[in-house]
């Protein structure tokens, strides 16, 4: 069964309980929850992510018949600043525990950049950057396996895991059933390669076989495969979740 969901931080800004109620009214049955982007009424720091808070959040979603498909923790696991990296690892561990208590099976993340500002540079695509990311991801996945949670990485052209080959390499090197992929096809594209999109999407289908956790689509005219997302999912056998993004919140502008 396939569910249609939405990134909750793309929905109308409302108090937390009202926001989830509104998501249900819009017809969505699951959501991608990024705590700090959705909840303002109470803290969501590492120390605040307790079993009690998890039960409260879980009950709000259950009351509105909305599943938490992905708990987002999109931080930089290739940060060269050791102090910042340690805080990031701690944050991932806290999210993994919280996901376990929530009954949410997936913590989603992107793959970072080898600098403190999390910005794209040519070094993002080097083997050294990939080695650093994989090394730092390994204990995260190990902890997720212990807690019964999946960590799903999302390949993005302007990050370290920027194509299907590198995604497959990370999956193979860590070799855990608790490491999977979130596939957003548009994120694999850039002005450098968008003309090759069909070959890129086909490679993405072939490389991480059996490891694709979700599919994100862009709800906008600029999206290469926007309106075909559901058909692509069915064609490739991905029957978990499709997430929509608000065209107001996220825009792609072609560079000259």
């Amino acid at each position: 069964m396939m569910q249609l969901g939405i990134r909750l931080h793309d929905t109308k800004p409302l108090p937390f309980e009202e926001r989830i109620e509104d998501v249900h009214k819009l017809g969505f049955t699951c959501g991608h929850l990024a705590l700090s982007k959705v909840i303002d009424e109470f803290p969501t720091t590492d120390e605040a992510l307790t079993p009690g808070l998890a039960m409260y959040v879980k009950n709000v979603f259950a009351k509105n018949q909305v599943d938490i498909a992905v708990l987002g923790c999109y931080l930089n696991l290739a940060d060269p600043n050791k102090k910042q990296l340690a805080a990031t690892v701690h944050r991932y561990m806290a999210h993994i525990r919280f996901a376990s208590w929530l009954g949410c099976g997936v913590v989603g993340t992107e793959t970072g950049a080898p600098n403190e500002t999390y910005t794209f540079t040519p070094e993002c695509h080097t083997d050294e950057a990939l080695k650093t990311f994989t090394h730092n991801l390994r204990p995260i996945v190990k902890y997720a396996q212990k807690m019964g949670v999946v960590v799903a990485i999302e390949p993005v052209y302007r990050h370290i895991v920027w194509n299907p080959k590198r995604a497959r390499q990370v999956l193979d090197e860590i070799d855990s059933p608790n490491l999977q992929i979130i596939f957003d096809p548009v994120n694999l594209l850039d002005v450098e390669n968008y003309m090759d999109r069909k070959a890129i999407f086909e490679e993405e289908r072939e490389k991480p076989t059996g490891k694709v956790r979700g599919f994100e689509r862009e709800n906008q005219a600029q999206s290469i495969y926007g309106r075909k997302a559901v058909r692509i999912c069915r064609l490739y056998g991905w029957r978990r979740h499709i997430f929509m993004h608000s065209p107001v919140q996220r825009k792609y502008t072609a560079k000259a």
Side-chain angles (χ1 to χ4, degrees):
M1 178 180 178
M2 187 180 293
Q3 295 193 76
L4 181 63
I6 190 167
R7 297 193 316 180
L8 298 172
H9 50 285
D10 285 341
T11 60
K12 184 178 179 180
L14 291 168
F16 174 60
E17 293 191 18
E18 294 177 33
R19 192 168 196 158
I20 306 309
E21 182 179 358
D22 190 56
V23 169
H24 172 72
K25 289 178 180 178
L26 290 170
F28 295 105
T29 58
C30 65
H32 178 147
L33 174 60
L35 293 167
S36 62
K37 294 182 179 181
V38 174
I39 298 172
D40 295 322
E41 299 95 309
F42 46 85
T44 57
T45 57
D46 296 356
E47 297 75 16
L49 302 185
T50 63
L53 180 60
M55 292 304 101
Y56 164 70
V57 171
K58 183 177 181 179
N59 288 337
V60 170
F61 277 86
K63 177 183 176 181
N64 292 286
Q65 299 178 309
V66 178
D67 293 336
I68 306 172
V70 177
L71 184 65
C73 190
Y74 284 62
L75 302 174
N76 188 7
L77 280 171
D79 193 330
N81 184 309
K82 293 184 178 180
K83 184 176 180 179
Q84 290 178 180
L85 178 62
T88 293
V89 170
H90 192 274
R91 184 70 172 162
Y92 275 99
M93 301 297 193
H95 271 68
I96 288 167
R97 286 193 302 274
F98 198 65
S100 178
W101 297 328
L102 277 175
C104 167
V106 181
V107 171
T109 185
E110 289 172 344
T111 62
N115 52 61
E116 295 185 34
T117 55
Y118 204 156
T119 52
F120 177 71
T121 64
E123 287 73 27
C124 287
H125 291 181
T126 63
D127 290 341
E128 186 62 30
L130 184 63
K131 182 179 179 180
T132 298
F133 169 73
T134 304
H135 173 79
N136 294 338
L137 179 64
R138 193 180 299 276
I140 304 294
V141 175
K142 183 177 180 180
Y143 188 68
Q145 193 162 337
K146 179 179 178 180
M147 298 299 295
V149 173
V150 166
V151 172
I153 61 173
E154 184 175 342
V156 177
Y157 183 86
R158 299 178 70 81
H159 295 164
I160 291 171
V161 178
W162 61 279
N163 63 20
K165 181 180 178 180
R166 283 165 83 93
R168 180 75 265 176
Q169 188 173 341
V170 174
L171 292 175
D172 288 344
E173 287 190 17
I174 294 183
D175 191 24
S176 169
N178 292 71
L179 178 62
Q180 297 187 21
I181 298 290
I182 292 174
F183 176 38
D184 180 344
V186 174
N187 270 342
L188 294 173
L189 303 182
D190 193 74
V191 293
E192 305 293 333
N193 68 354
Y194 75 95
M195 293 299 291
D196 301 322
R197 58 189 176 273
K198 289 185 179 180
I200 292 168
F201 294 164
E202 182 64 22
E203 184 182 8
E204 178 75 9
R205 180 184 75 86
E206 292 174 355
K207 291 289 183 183
T209 303
K211 295 277 189 175
V212 176
R213 189 69 197 180
F215 184 103
E216 301 196 12
R217 61 161 284 193
E218 301 298 330
N219 186 26
Q220 51 188 325
Q222 297 98 312
S223 172
I224 304 300
Y225 268 94
R227 296 185 179 181
K228 298 181 181 179
V230 173
R231 280 176 285 171
I232 292 172
C233 277
R234 288 173 179 163
L235 174 65
Y236 291 169
W238 301 331
R239 300 185 179 275
R240 294 180 176 91
H241 309 101
I242 304 176
F243 296 103
M244 295 179 66
H245 298 306
S246 163
V248 175
Q249 296 288 335
R250 190 173 183 183
K251 296 181 180 180
Y252 289 83
T253 304
K255 298 178 181 178

